[in-house]
Amino acid sequence: HISQPELSGILTAEEIANREIDSLPFNYRWSALLGKPARNFTMMVHGEPGGGKTTFLLKFSQYLAENFGKVIYISSEEFAATTLTSKVKELFNQFPPNLHFTE
């Protein structure tokens, strides 16, 4: 790592290439789509209304919660709407105890 204070937090190309990332061992379905994200990754999704964002994210959140631990689903637009509540009821046979929701 560069020791110059003005470059603190900056890595060389060699340091980037040689660092080890604690990634999530996704099954084929999810790794084919998202690769190997770091264990502490965050994700933001944007798209047209009705495009399946909520369904996709709920299924992905369920997978994460059932396989890797606590997940927080932040929904600034749908949290107070019936849409999210209806989708959770429709998509989950069992409610993952590690999946939490907030605005």
Side-chain angles (χ1 to χ4, degrees):
H1 188 75
I2 298 171
S3 61
Q4 299 171 343
E6 67 273 9
L7 297 178
S8 177
I10 296 175
L11 302 178
T12 66
E14 182 179 1
E15 289 169 327
I16 287 288
N18 292 322
R19 68 185 176 159
E20 304 244 349
I21 304 294
D22 185 17
S23 61
L24 294 169
F26 283 178
N27 66 22
Y28 177 76
R29 175 182 176 192
W30 293 106
S31 67
L33 181 63
L34 299 168
K36 296 179 180 180
R39 192 163 287 279
N40 65 343
F41 84 102
T42 58
M43 182 174 176
M44 181 195 252
V45 175
H46 174 76
E48 295 295 321
K53 298 177 300 295
T54 301
T55 299
F56 166 76
L57 290 172
L58 286 173
K59 293 309 250 176
F60 183 49
S61 297
Q62 178 182 23
Y63 171 72
L64 291 171
E66 290 175 349
N67 293 279
F68 300 105
K70 293 182 181 178
V71 173
I72 187 155
Y73 185 111
I74 302 170
S75 178
S76 59
E77 293 180 10
E78 289 185 305
F79 187 77
T82 59
T83 312
L84 184 61
T85 301
S86 297
K87 289 280 185 189
V88 167
K89 287 178 183 177
E90 173 189 330
L91 295 174
F92 296 156
N93 294 329
Q94 295 181 343
F95 303 112
N98 283 331
L99 180 55
H100 305 274
F101 295 83
T102 189
E103 192 172 11

